[in-house]
Amino acid sequence: CRREWIAVDGPAGAGKSSLARALAKALGYRYIDTGATYRAAALAVLQAGVHPGDPASRSRIVDIVRRVRIRLGTDPRVDLPSRVFLDGRDVSTSIRSLEVGQAASTIATIPEVRRVLAELQRRMAEEGPCVMDGRDIGTVVLKEACVKLYVTASLEERARRRAKELQEIEGQVPVSLEEIEEQLAMRDQQDATRQDAPLRAAEDAVTLDTTGQTPGEVLERALAICRECL
Ligand code: C5P
């Protein structure tokens, strides 16, 4: 297996990105947020005026995703949250809305979209040691990673964390906790039941339930697992 790769997967709001970033910082690795690549691609689709869920627009969606240039800031020390560039424009904030998250999950069901973005992610991983987070990193994108973590938390806790994140986004219309919970459950369902690379723990992944745990406690457990495997 490849020691320079750490795969972190799990449902939305489980604390994957905080953990992946903290791990990257502690180990001196780069942090690669693959959700941001799906979100940036989805934003490009929305900005082109194309409906992400319209089956008749599939080939246009694939075409848009093939054409756009997505670049990520990967240094965990300077990027909080990750800087994301779409055709050279900084879209770090606009990709974090509920609408873009939902659109990302919808276009992520299209196999050609997944192929294009997985290739981009793989190229980024080949540039050097990294912690990569997403839904299919341990099962598809970095199958050869030595350390695979599957991060989960209760739906209530994940909704609370998402609500906090959303509050910090300027221009985001306030949404109720119930609405966030509903959106998360819908997204989990869509991510876990899609045909191509559904959300699931890899057979060789270690599951970390972060419900009721502080980020520091989760990091400690993850570092202990890394020490065992690396
Ligand atoms: O992690 P984040 O919430 O930013 O991801 C947005 C959406 O992108 C997810 O709901 C999922 O559908 C999709 N995604 C994916 N595979 C990944 C990362 C994200 O399908 N590796």
Side-chain angles (χ1 to χ4, degrees), residues 34-35 38-39 104-105 108 114 134-137 187 191 194:
T34 64
Y38 283 91
R39 286 171 178 269
S105 173
R114 302 202 67 81
R135 303 290 188 288
D136 61 342
I137 309 310
R187 201 135 70 82
D191 290 347
R194 68 179 171 227

Side-chain angles (χ1 to χ4, degrees), residues 2-10 16-17 19-20 23 27 29-32 34 125 129-151 200-202 204-208 222 225-226 229-230:
R2 294 184 62 164
R3 290 163 190 275
E4 72 275 27
W5 288 344
I6 296 177
V8 181
D9 291 298
K16 287 187 305 288
S17 57
L19 172 63
L23 260 182
L27 299 170
Y29 285 19
R30 286 164 316 131
Y31 164 58
I32 302 174
T34 64
C130 66
V131 182
M132 185 179 273
D133 79 353
R135 303 290 188 288
D136 61 342
I137 309 310
T139 53
V140 178
V141 182
L142 303 183
K143 249 202 288 216
E144 312 93 309
C146 285
V147 178
K148 297 182 185 179
L149 303 172
Y150 189 80
V151 185
R200 63 178 175 82
D204 48 351
V206 179
T207 298
L208 289 177
I225 295 163
C226 289
C229 299
L230 297 178

